Amino acid sequence: MAHTLPQPRTVRAAAALRGTIAVPGDKSISHRSLMLSALAVGESRVEGLLEGEDVLATAAAMRAMGADIVRQDDGVWVIHGVGVGGPLQPETALDMGNSGTSTRLLMGLVASHPITATFIGDASLSKRPMGRVIEPLSQMGAEFQDTPGGRLPLMVRGISPAVPIRYTLPVASAQVKSAILLAGLNTPGETTVIEPIATRDHSERMLAGFGAELTVTPSPEGKVITIRGQAELKPQNIVVPGDPSSAAFWLVAGSIVPGADVTITNVGMNPTRTGIIEALKMMGADITELDARTVGGEPVADLRVRHAPLSAIEVPPELTPSMIDEYPVLFVAAAFATGTTIARGAEELRVKESDRITAMADALGACGVRCEEFEDGMAVTGTGGEPIPGGATIATLLDHRIAMSMTIAALNARDPITLDDAAPVATSYPIFFDTLEKLGAMA
């Protein structure tokens, strides 16, 4: 799945952005719908699946472990699962491409089965630390052979029966939580995760929907999530809502481009994912929620955003877990605000597909934006709504969110901005540039 040749792309300022668009299916929900459907007994159907490279890596891995996964001509994915306890020994290494979610969650799935799997990935994924997952899964009895630093390539030797554990998350990570819960599915007894700081709860919602015996209770320690293992998952029909992380690019674009008026349909509004909307509204963004409803057990709404003057804020730290992936584009919004926006408590950004703090500080700085980098975040001084200078070539560092965020920045820049490689966008949003052109911009 590695990109062989860079795909440079130059983006120019947009006169206006207008129209109604849909964003791809939620990436987090798409990954989990494939994994849990593959562990159910019978036929599941998934509509609206994100067909980006990250999710396709998950589909390929589940096929390698015995699930029958087919995309129909109408875009619906049909999965015949192997049942909890049924995954087979993969014959070759599992290529995760650029997908940290696929890697960490599937490490959990493999950990409690009597199979051995080798995980490989591209240059970016191979730099990302996996120790935070290795540690609890080792407590459950799985064995690991990893590259120094807890990185890929990495081999997991699962065990059955695994040992149930009670584990308090040392960092706010939905991926670590989900890996432990997936391992707990095939572990006798009760496996418990304590979450001192709440993270996205798609795993809990979906596990319960598939019939797992799962409880979520508040406590002085935090949220306590307990799963009883060796359950039989029931097949489901799933409708994946639009990804709020993808919608965030258009919410910022609509806010910073004069004359913009954009409506984004069917956006997932899970409260563990809406931090970016709250932050932008605090800055003065004109965002209206329309037709709030529930689809497939998840709250959704249409979002209308119109150009509005933005003001700097100090981002409340409690919003960080619900918008960690949206910080790069929030920094772009800050570049057009009046005053200096300060974001702290986001050190997790340093271990994403790239070091997103340094990557965005370098990218915005090259385009004439004043940034001050902290170990756990950044301060960005905005233009008060005026165009940024632009004119730079940006190192996207194999990171889809850096590429898309700087594309949005270019929409209100005096001089065009060039991405050294736009190819990583395909990992999460294959139609991103097509959507940009639909709204009236040229890229």
Side-chain angles (χ1 to χ4, degrees):
M1 291 191 180
H3 302 299
T4 52
L5 294 175
Q7 298 175 15
R9 184 182 284 263
T10 298
V11 186
R12 294 169 173 79
L17 298 175
R18 293 182 177 273
T20 298
I21 59 171
V23 293
D26 185 283
K27 186 152 73 84
S28 296
I29 295 174
S30 293
H31 282 301
R32 289 160 174 81
S33 67
L34 288 174
M35 293 180 194
L36 295 183
S37 294
L39 293 174
V41 176
E43 179 183 287
S44 294
R45 300 169 66 86
V46 181
E47 181 181 341
L49 188 86
L50 169 62
E51 296 181 5
E53 291 175 357
D54 281 10
V55 174
L56 297 181
T58 291
M62 299 315 302
R63 287 192 189 103
M65 288 187 276
D68 180 19
I69 302 176
V70 177
R71 183 192 187 278
Q72 297 186 150
D73 291 340
D74 60 1
V76 174
W77 288 68
V78 178
I79 302 100
H80 291 91
V82 296
V84 172
L88 304 177
Q89 172 71 46
E91 295 181 359
T92 59
L94 303 177
D95 187 351
M96 300 289 95
N98 190 240
S99 181
T101 302
S102 302
T103 306
R104 292 186 175 117
L105 270 61
L106 289 173
M107 285 168 62
L109 191 155
V110 169
S112 60
H113 290 86
I115 58 178
T116 299
T118 298
F119 293 85
I120 61 174
D122 69 8
S124 171
L125 181 61
S126 297
K127 296 176 182 177
R128 298 179 67 180
M130 299 295 157
R132 60 181 58 178
V133 179
I134 292 173
E135 201 251 324
L137 297 180
S138 295
Q139 292 183 26
M140 299 181 77
E143 297 180 0
F144 295 85
Q145 293 180 10
D146 53 279
T147 300
R151 291 171 166 81
L152 272 55
L154 176 152
M155 186 177 74
V156 183
R157 181 176 291 109
I159 186 170
S160 183
V163 179
I165 61 172
R166 183 180 179 90
Y167 188 78
T168 299
L169 295 178
V171 294
S173 173
Q175 292 180 358
V176 177
K177 170 179 66 176
S178 300
I180 298 168
L181 293 176
L182 283 169
L185 265 179
N186 197 45
T187 299
E190 293 185 342
T191 296
T192 298
V193 180
I194 301 167
E195 190 175 56
I197 300 173
T199 66
R200 58 187 63 177
D201 65 354
H202 302 303
S203 291
E204 297 96 300
R205 288 173 182 256
M206 195 167 287
L207 282 163
F210 271 85
E213 189 177 332
L214 180 140
T215 60
V216 180
T217 54
S219 81
E221 302 171 273
K223 188 165 70 170
V224 179
I225 306 133
T226 298
I227 189 166
R228 179 170 290 280
Q230 299 180 315
E232 181 174 309
L233 300 187
K234 302 175 180 63
Q236 301 294 310
N237 293 327
I238 299 169
V239 178
V240 181
D243 196 328
S245 296
S246 296
F249 297 107
W250 310 121
L251 295 176
V252 173
S255 297
I256 68 172
V257 175
D261 188 346
V262 177
T263 298
I264 314 155
T265 61
N266 199 46
V267 180
M269 296 295 288
N270 184 305
T272 64
R273 300 289 301 283
T274 54
I276 184 64
I277 298 173
E278 295 180 50
L280 289 173
K281 285 183 175 180
M282 289 175 64
M283 297 175 76
D286 182 358
I287 300 171
T288 305
E289 298 175 24
L290 307 170
D291 190 20
R293 56 204 184 273
T294 299
V295 175
E298 291 274 349
V300 303
D302 302 334
L303 299 178
R304 183 183 185 187
V305 57
R306 287 171 283 193
H307 174 251
L310 302 180
S311 298
I313 62 169
E314 186 164 343
V315 182
E318 62 268 21
L319 292 184
T320 299
S322 67
M323 58 179 286
I324 193 68
D325 286 334
E326 289 75 69
Y327 266 104
V329 80
L330 178 74
F331 294 146
V332 171
F336 294 90
T338 298
T340 299
T341 295
I342 299 173
R344 303 295 298 259
E347 57 273 6
E348 178 75 7
L349 293 172
R350 293 203 181 273
V351 291
K352 292 289 187 177
E353 283 84 336
S354 67
D355 179 339
R356 287 178 173 165
I357 296 174
T358 294
M360 287 303 298
D362 289 348
L364 289 171
C367 292
V369 179
R370 186 151 60 93
C371 303
E372 180 184 357
E373 186 176 334
F374 310 126
E375 183 57 35
D376 63 345
M378 191 156 63
V380 181
T381 300
T383 64
E386 295 299 312
I388 62 173
T393 295
I394 304 302
T396 59
L397 305 173
L398 295 177
D399 191 330
H400 54 131
R401 299 204 191 278
I402 302 302
M404 288 186 282
S405 296
M406 292 310 298
T407 296
I408 300 305
L411 299 179
N412 194 12
R414 284 200 296 270
D415 294 318
I417 293 174
T418 298
L419 309 177
D420 70 344
D421 187 9
V425 168
T427 64
S428 67
Y429 202 159
I431 62 170
F432 175 77
F433 290 108
D434 292 337
T435 303
L436 189 60
E437 292 180 8
K438 179 181 177 181
L439 291 172
M442 299 299 292

